[in-house]
Amino acid sequence: MILLVQNSELYNNDLRAMIMAFYPGEKLTAMKPMDVASIGRELHNEFTLCFTALFDEKRTLLKIEEKAMVKFSAYISGDFTDRKKFRNRLKLASYQLLSEFTGRVLPWGSLTGVRPTKIAINGIRAGFSDEDIITEYERRYAATTEKAALALQVAKKETAIFEAEEIDTGRDYALYIDIPFCPSRCLYCSFASHPIASYKYKVPDYLKALESELQFISYVNRERRLISIYIGGGTPTSLGELSLDNLLTTATGYFDLSHLKEFTVEAGRPDSITAEKLEILKKHKVTRISINTQTMKDATLKVIGRAHTSEQFLRAFEMARNAGFKNINTDIIAGLPMEKLQDMDRTLSYIKRLRPESLTVHSLAIKRAASLREELDTYRDYINFDTKEMHALAAEYAKHMGMKPYYMYRQKNIAGNLENIGYAKPGMECLYNMLIMEEKTDIFGAGAGASTKLVNPVRGNVERIANSKDVDDYISRIEEMLDKKRESIGNIRIPD
Ligand code: SF4
């Protein structure tokens, strides 16, 4: 357990994120300085460390104590209330103290945000040289040169693709549809996903509510160009054949698809795929699917609650190829419980033989809404939190498969404090993955748990409008969800 003592909550999230980057999954208790006195020395000994931040208008004191003994401390000058100037300096100083204390260097240094490529994208836009951009990552955030170069490589790839595709922020938009059902719930899942067996009877009402939302989205965007549809969740293919067919008829029926550049459906769980469902996806002109195994070790699949075997994954992949899919992605996770480097090697060697068009490598994240968080004490000793070598191995395999990194993002409490990264063969990149990361166009979200992200290029910000995550709530309050969107985009109503 970690104790965080601070006399202001202004940087609470930043400090928590920085500490958690060193101690993923650890419990953290926050206190005010005046309450610390109530902790006796004995209790103090129970904390792995005590991190104190005492903010002052002129200078801020940071210190790390172990068993009530000060181990490292530092002062940062400047007015802490000037968040814009102070935040990065505070994070960097906190990172340096924690790094000294633990003896560890984190690959991304003091960067804890979701989009590490943002700095490189801004640098490219401002006309900075590659060298300047890399130095910025190293000096301001203490990121390693390797990660700085990776972020720059991805940022360049994204910029080139957006230019080649002539993406226009005002004219173009993307559509995301959420199907929050899966065959079973994975141990690490933090999404609003429900077992389809017990939610089957709600599907017709869910699809009905979804239809009103899709009709609304198509109407408000009738003058614009829909360039990407992404159906995710959850696992859309966990729907029965008839429901899946209905969903795709609705998803495509209301929209002008003449400008569509891609149409992705996550068929993530092999245990949800049938030849008939693949035919339905083909019939509706889905261009890209994702079939994921996460690992090829059956014992791990059991532990993580995926209810399918590696053999089922191989069969599903073959079925998809036979059905004519020419753009298939597959996901794997580094750092799964009980997995070692050789397990990752075995998984990747199977995947290489399948020749997918893209590979997404996630790092295990211990998210608040996941059962893994609750059961962490059971699994902690079996999780390989140092996934650096696994990621390096995946990068090697991706290179051999003719793929290059094209998008990435980071999460809190991520194993190895690394990143999730997508590799693809040239021309097989998923545009939606890049659009959502770089906030290049509006993305209209439909369904329970989906978020709409409206990009304001003038103000340079993004407005988020979230739907309810609860399926019943979404069904019964669909009009309220539409009203929330109306508030942001104007009170537009579909004429009767
Ligand atoms: S397949 Fe994905 S969405 Fe479904 S339970 Fe597993 S992690 Fe969650």
Side-chain angles (χ1 to χ4, degrees), residues 338-391:
M338 301 188 312
E339 293 250 317
K340 298 200 167 63
L341 188 63
Q342 54 265 45
D343 299 311
M344 183 81 159
D345 193 13
R346 190 171 161 271
T347 296
L348 284 160
S349 65
Y350 269 103
I351 288 174
K352 191 178 167 193
R353 271 176 255 156
L354 294 175
R355 299 163 178 254
E357 279 62 43
S358 57
L359 169 73
T360 310
V361 186
H362 294 266
S363 300
L364 183 72
I366 299 149
K367 305 292 287 283
R368 205 175 297 162
S371 342
L372 179 58
R373 176 78 180 235
E374 293 294 304
E375 298 168 40
L376 192 58
D377 288 343
T378 314
Y379 295 101
R380 192 187 300 277
D381 293 344
Y382 304 103
I383 296 176
N384 182 356
F385 284 105
D386 189 2
T387 52
K388 201 174 158 208
E389 285 184 328
M390 290 184 174
H391 269 269

Side-chain angles (χ1 to χ4, degrees), residues 181-194 233-235 266 268-269 292 294 305-306:
F181 310 114
C182 283
S184 64
R185 190 164 169 87
C186 305
L187 181 70
Y188 49 80
C189 181
S190 62
F191 300 111
S193 163
H194 309 279
T235 308
E266 276 181 21
R269 290 281 293 260
N292 310 324
Q294 313 301 2
R306 281 188 64 91

Side-chain angles (χ1 to χ4, degrees), residues 3-198:
L3 180 62
L4 170 62
V5 180
Q6 46 188 346
N7 62 342
S8 161
E9 297 236 323
L10 193 58
Y11 298 97
N12 186 38
N13 290 343
D14 298 303
L15 290 176
R16 275 175 183 266
M18 202 65 264
I19 295 168
M20 286 302 129
F22 283 89
Y23 297 92
E26 189 101 21
K27 286 196 178 97
L28 187 146
T29 305
M31 271 189 189
K32 292 212 177 305
M34 57 189 169
D35 299 324
V36 177
S38 62
I39 301 180
R41 194 182 174 93
E42 227 168 81
L43 197 58
H44 223 298
N45 288 348
E46 285 184 16
F47 291 104
T48 314
L49 71 105
C50 169
F51 189 103
T52 301
L54 296 176
F55 297 97
D56 185 272
E57 277 174 22
K58 292 215 171 77
R59 62 179 198 167
T60 290
L61 168 66
L62 299 178
K63 64 177 174 181
I64 294 181
E65 288 160 278
E66 189 184 33
K67 300 191 195 314
M69 298 270 291
V70 178
K71 293 288 178 182
F72 295 96
S73 64
Y75 280 103
I76 319 168
S77 58
D79 181 359
F80 83 99
T81 57
D82 186 350
R83 210 176 141 74
K84 234 178 173 178
K85 281 194 190 148
F86 196 78
R87 185 169 171 255
N88 283 339
R89 293 174 54 215
L90 171 72
K91 284 182 73 181
L92 182 60
S94 306
Y95 168 76
Q96 283 161 342
L97 279 194
L98 285 158
S99 180
E100 275 184 86
F101 178 70
T102 57
R104 288 173 57 210
V105 170
L106 301 184
W108 289 100
S110 65
L111 280 170
T112 53
V114 178
R115 298 165 54 207
T117 49
K118 199 175 167 183
I119 297 152
I121 296 245
N122 290 342
I124 293 169
R125 277 187 201 142
F128 293 141
S129 68
D130 290 2
E131 211 185 340
D132 286 346
I133 293 171
I134 289 178
T135 307
E136 168 92 349
Y137 276 99
E138 293 168 335
R139 291 231 180 109
R140 276 189 93 174
Y141 306 98
T144 59
T145 311
E146 187 198 346
K147 290 299 168 197
L150 178 64
L152 180 60
Q153 186 185 3
V154 170
K156 280 184 172 177
K157 183 92 190 161
E158 285 176 342
T159 309
I161 291 174
F162 290 153
E163 267 174 32
E165 295 288 346
E166 298 180 344
I167 307 297
D168 181 321
T169 304
R171 180 194 63 188
D172 300 335
Y173 78 104
L175 172 66
Y176 172 77
I177 301 172
D178 199 297
I179 303 299
F181 310 114
C182 283
S184 64
R185 190 164 169 87
C186 305
L187 181 70
Y188 49 80
C189 181
S190 62
F191 300 111
S193 163
H194 309 279
I196 186 69
S198 42

